[in-house]
Structures are given as C-alpha cells and as structure tokens.
C-alpha cells in the first residue's frame, strides 16, 4: 500500500512539472578584434547575449476542443554585453524589464548606473549609484532615492512636501 502511494505521488509531481510551458530563445554573438599598435598585438573579445522568454498560454484552456489557439503573452528580453581585453571581462550593458501601474519600463545599465526607458519615452530617467548602494532616481519632473529589494524589485522613495511624508513606488521585476 505504501509503495502505491509513493508511485502515485511521483506520477503527480512529474505531471505537474511537465505543465510549465515556455518559449525560450537564447542567442550569443561573439566578435574578436586584434589590434596591433606596433609594440604588441592585443585581442578584444565582445560577447553579446540575448535571452527572450515567453510563457505559452491557451485562449480557452478549459474547453474540450482538441486544437486550441495560443493566447499572445508578453516576451521578456534580457540582453548583456561583455567586453574583455587581455583576459579581463567587463560587463558594459545589461537590460531588464520592470512594470509599475500597468506600464512596462526597461532598465539598461551603463557605466554610472542605469537608464530607464518607458514605452513612449526612450530617455524616461536615470539611476545613479551612491556610495551606500542606493540610487539617485532622476526623471524630468523629480529627484528621489531608490534601491533594489531582496526580490529584485526597484523601490523609489520620494519626499512629498504637501503631506510632509515619504511616498513609496515599486517597479516590479517582470518575470
């Protein structure tokens, strides 16, 4: 009896794991350049990695129809660029997506912190890292302080002069 229960539990756990449907595309592009300045040749390697993930969902999953249509879902893209010269890799560009109030934002890393782009504004704002691992959050109409929490979300704290208090907004990491 105990063996039958173990077999049933194992079969259920395997069938539940098999139900995660994702469309994943990963692409890596490597470029090598050798520069000879007369004294010694130097090789620079640039590696660009791009990963696109999309959940696959059915439009009418509960129906008994045999052939079902796929519901369009958002594609989550992460791109990184690494340049290494003389064996020392330096990550120069990383991109992640966040959502807040139904809007989708892209955080692109640069040398000083991050640049933020919204769907309708390519240069929505910037994040600049401070000495205590916080960020100065600067947009066209305000300057605030922000930080990444344990879940990878970006939390912005702004002083509200009218209420004499702090307002907190959170950019949720798009999974």
């Amino acid at each position: 009896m105990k063996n039958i229960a173990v077999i049933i539990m194992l079969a259920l756990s395997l069938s539940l794991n098999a139900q995660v449907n994702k469309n994943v595309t990963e692409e890596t592009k490597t470029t090598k350049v050798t520069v000879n300045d007369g004294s010694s040749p130097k090789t620079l390697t640039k590696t660009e990695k791009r990963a696109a993930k999309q959940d696959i969902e059915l439009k009418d999953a509960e129906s008994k129809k045999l052939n079902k249509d796929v519901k369009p879902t958002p594609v989550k893209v992460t791109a990184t660029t690494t340049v290494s010269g003389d064996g020392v890799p330096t990550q120069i560009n990383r991109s992640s997506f966040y959502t807040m109030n139904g809007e989708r934002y892209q955080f692109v890393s640069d040398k000083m912190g991050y640049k933020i782009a919204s769907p309708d504004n390519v240069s929505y704002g910037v994040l600049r890292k401070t000495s205590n691992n916080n960020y100065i959050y600067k947009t066209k109409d305000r300057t605030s302080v922000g930080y990444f929490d344990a879940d990878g979300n970006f939390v912005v704290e702004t002083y509200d002069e009218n209420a004499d208090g702090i307002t907190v907004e959170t950019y949720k990491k798009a999974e």
Side-chain angles (χ1 to χ4, degrees):
M1 185 67 174
K2 186 176 181 182
N3 289 339
I4 293 173
V6 170
I7 291 172
I8 291 173
M9 293 297 287
L10 182 61
L12 284 175
S13 66
L14 289 176
S15 67
L16 290 177
N17 270 344
Q19 299 304 316
V20 177
N21 295 322
K22 287 192 177 193
N23 186 11
V24 179
T25 303
E26 292 182 358
E27 171 181 304
T28 303
K29 180 181 175 185
T30 304
T31 307
K32 287 190 177 191
V33 177
T34 303
V35 178
N36 189 354
D37 60 0
S39 61
S40 63
K42 295 180 182 178
T43 303
L44 297 174
T45 305
K46 178 181 173 184
T47 305
E48 298 175 76
K49 293 182 183 178
R50 180 183 161 109
K53 295 181 183 179
Q54 182 179 23
D55 293 333
I56 298 174
E57 297 177 10
L58 301 176
K59 283 185 181 176
D60 51 354
E62 301 302 320
S63 73
K64 294 183 180 183
K65 197 165 104 175
L66 185 58
N67 295 323
K68 299 179 182 180
D69 295 327
V70 177
K71 179 173 40 170
T73 57
V75 178
K76 299 149 195 145
V77 179
T78 302
T80 58
T81 302
T82 305
V83 175
S84 68
D86 298 334
V88 181
T90 305
Q91 185 172 332
I92 60 170
N93 190 2
R94 179 171 164 74
S95 173
S96 298
F97 289 93
Y98 291 82
T99 58
M100 184 175 67
N101 299 332
E103 291 281 328
R104 190 171 166 92
Y105 297 89
Q106 182 178 14
F107 285 41
V108 180
S109 70
D110 60 10
K111 291 181 182 180
M112 304 287 285
Y114 294 90
K115 291 185 179 180
I116 304 172
S118 69
D120 55 340
N121 188 353
V122 176
S123 58
Y124 178 76
V126 294
L127 299 177
R128 295 297 177 234
K129 193 168 188 173
T130 63
S131 60
N132 60 356
N133 288 330
N134 288 331
Y135 289 86
I136 296 173
Y137 172 85
K138 174 78 172 116
T139 62
K140 185 172 130 180
D141 56 344
R142 68 179 169 157
T143 302
S144 304
V145 176
Y147 58 90
F148 289 98
D149 66 7
D151 297 326
N153 301 322
F154 187 71
V155 181
V156 177
E157 296 181 356
T158 307
Y159 174 69
D160 184 2
E161 211 172 307
N162 297 332
D164 193 26
I166 303 292
T167 59
V168 178
E169 297 175 310
T170 303
Y171 289 89
K172 300 270 187 205
K173 180 130 175 94
E175 297 293 327

